[in-house]
Amino acid sequence: MTTRLERSFRGISERLAIRYLTNLGGQHVDDDTVEGDDWTATLSAETVGIGPTLSLTEVTVVFEGDEDVLEPLVERFAQKAMRAGG
């Protein structure tokens, strides 16, 4: 059964998200898609406003694939994408 999970991450670039996904075993197949064994991740990015003067990049990743594969993949990706505050 194919599962679809959508997650958004702020403060990272789409390029960096693609690098993280390829480090997790994926192949960068086109501008916004990375494919791995039994999974696909499609990325999009937009600038979002935080308060009156600050904006950040928000990358949304749609993961699709086998549920048993996606759960650990999304967790490992989220750990890489986390940004500690300064």
Side-chain angles (χ1 to χ4, degrees):
M1 179 177 198
T2 299
T3 299
R4 182 180 189 273
L5 299 172
E6 183 174 320
R7 300 287 187 271
S8 294
F9 302 90
R10 290 185 176 180
I12 66 169
S13 66
E14 192 170 356
R15 179 186 53 80
L16 189 57
I18 288 169
R19 183 182 322 154
Y20 291 160
L21 289 164
T22 58
N23 288 341
L24 292 170
Q27 285 287 110
H28 189 192
V29 295
D30 68 29
D31 286 347
D32 62 357
T33 305
V34 178
E35 292 181 352
D37 292 336
D38 299 320
W39 61 270
T40 300
T42 306
L43 296 92
S44 61
E46 66 178 329
T47 301
V48 293
I50 309 295
T53 60
L54 183 64
S55 62
L56 289 174
T57 299
E58 180 175 84
V59 174
T60 300
V61 185
V62 176
F63 298 92
E64 294 183 87
D66 183 82
E67 183 177 2
D68 294 335
V69 173
L70 286 189
E71 195 170 306
L73 172 73
V74 172
E75 180 156 331
R76 289 193 328 255
F77 178 83
Q79 288 173 353
K80 288 179 172 287
M82 288 275 184
R83 292 289 185 230

